[in-house]
Amino acid sequence: MPLPTPLRGVVPPVITPLTPAGEVDTASVRRLTEHLIDAGVHGLFLLGSSGEAAYLTDAQRLTALETAVDTAAGRVPVLAGVIDTARVLDRAADAVRAGAQALVATAPFYTRTHPVEIADHFRRVRAAAGLPLFAYDIPAAVHTKLPRAVVLDLAADGTLAGLKDSSGDEGSLRRLLVELRRSTPDFSVLTGSELTVDCALLAGADGVVPGLGNVDAEGYVRLYEAARAGNWAAAKAEQDRLAALFALTEEGDPALMGPSSAALGAFKAAARLLGLIDCAATAAPQVPLDEAAVARIGDRLAEAGLL
């Protein structure tokens, strides 16, 4: 389907189910994709942070993306992460061949880059691929916060169709939203701060990309629909419930693993307990959750009425 302008709603960053041997579990990709679409999501974001793109081979990335695109069958747009630097044009070409409707790219990473270089990076991707391009602002991963001036310039000249803001800088996001309303109202802004979605929507964001949406997509859809209807009390209540459920990402032992491994392991463990995927394995070298942590995640799901 053509990409809506602007793209609005709930666009989960889809996890990549793996087999115990570490290969992409295509049957689980299909089942999870169907579940998310049935839950009412407005798009799917493949191969982002929650999709473990940084840990997958090129072949694994392509398998996951092709499977999701085929399963979605045009019912919702599929955004493909092309998160790379030197090889970003190769990944963009793969996404085009796989049938993605849009691309998502970060600023170049490993080294710190100047705003001129960041803008050139996005322009090269957009020109080479010919698909709508979303910038992914995630300074924790790429060590660069996208400057508002660069985003505004790239929005104005059509290089970027939207932004996924995972910077955690709510003040900067608010200022960007104010300026975009004056200059480029069709530009899509999706927040990655999934615990403050109600606030972002009230400020003018178009939607959310929630990792927890792999676990409770219907909750985020209810939150979004309440906000769109102006029922801010209902939106707040749903956000409060999701914030409580998000505690499942903290069940991993911090002495044994980092917060990313704990969160991704929790999303996958929850999805397996809910019957959405067959195996909760995460890609190496991430540390897997132990049985006690998985049991606590089950308790969280039961408390939320999901299990």
Side-chain angles (χ1 to χ4, degrees):
M1 68 179 295
L3 190 75
T5 305
L7 176 62
R8 293 190 171 101
V10 179
V11 185
V14 184
I15 57 176
T16 304
L18 302 175
T19 67
E23 296 304 317
V24 175
D25 178 357
T26 56
S28 290
V29 173
R30 291 187 183 278
R31 190 158 73 249
L32 178 60
T33 299
E34 286 287 356
H35 168 77
L36 293 172
I37 293 173
D38 288 346
V41 303
H42 305 84
L44 302 168
F45 172 30
L46 273 290
L47 305 178
S49 302
S50 294
E52 300 175 271
Y55 300 97
L56 303 179
T57 65
D58 294 345
Q60 288 173 320
R61 293 186 192 188
L62 186 56
T63 296
L65 178 59
E66 288 178 333
T67 303
V69 169
D70 182 65
T71 305
R75 289 173 289 172
V76 297
V78 176
L79 286 68
V82 291
I83 298 168
D84 217 323
T85 300
R87 291 167 297 280
V88 66
L89 299 185
D90 294 334
R91 302 292 72 75
D94 285 345
V96 171
R97 287 191 291 269
Q101 280 77 46
L103 305 178
V104 184
T106 66
F109 50 86
Y110 185 72
T111 59
R112 297 183 184 276
T113 45
H114 188 275
V116 170
E117 297 163 328
I118 294 171
D120 182 63
H121 172 78
F122 285 119
R123 289 193 174 105
R124 286 172 181 269
V125 176
R126 179 69 176 89
L131 289 179
L133 177 63
F134 284 66
Y136 188 173
D137 192 4
I138 183 166
V142 303
H143 311 299
T144 301
K145 171 77 177 76
L146 292 181
R148 281 195 310 280
V150 170
V151 174
L152 289 165
D153 286 347
L154 296 177
D157 70 16
T159 298
L160 293 178
L163 170 74
K164 185 208 171 188
D165 185 275
S166 293
S167 68
D169 188 339
E170 304 293 344
S172 179
L173 175 61
R174 183 62 176 266
R175 293 179 64 189
L176 177 67
L177 288 167
V178 170
E179 294 182 57
L180 284 169
R181 280 198 294 271
R182 297 169 179 161
S183 60
T184 320
D186 288 339
F187 186 83
S188 178
V189 177
L190 307 174
T191 179
S193 298
E194 54 199 286
L195 301 185
T196 56
V197 180
D198 54 345
C199 301
L201 294 174
L202 180 60
D206 296 291
V208 57
V209 184
L212 189 62
N214 288 281
V215 179
D216 192 0
E218 291 181 348
Y220 279 101
V221 171
R222 287 194 298 269
L223 191 167
Y224 173 76
E225 290 178 345
R228 290 283 288 177
N231 188 346
W232 296 107
K236 177 183 181 299
E238 197 65 58
Q239 181 70 87
D240 287 348
R241 190 188 65 80
L242 290 164
L245 179 61
F246 194 78
L248 60 81
T249 65
E250 300 170 344
E251 296 297 351
D253 185 347
L256 300 176
M257 65 181 63
S260 178
S261 293
L264 289 172
F267 294 154
K268 286 192 164 184
R272 184 183 65 79
L273 291 169
L274 293 170
L276 304 178
I277 64 175
D278 290 335
C279 175
T282 50
Q286 296 173 105
V287 178
L289 297 174
D290 59 25
E291 292 183 4
V294 173
R296 292 192 296 272
I297 289 167
D299 292 340
R300 298 279 187 186
L301 295 174
E303 291 169 2
L306 298 177
L307 192 64

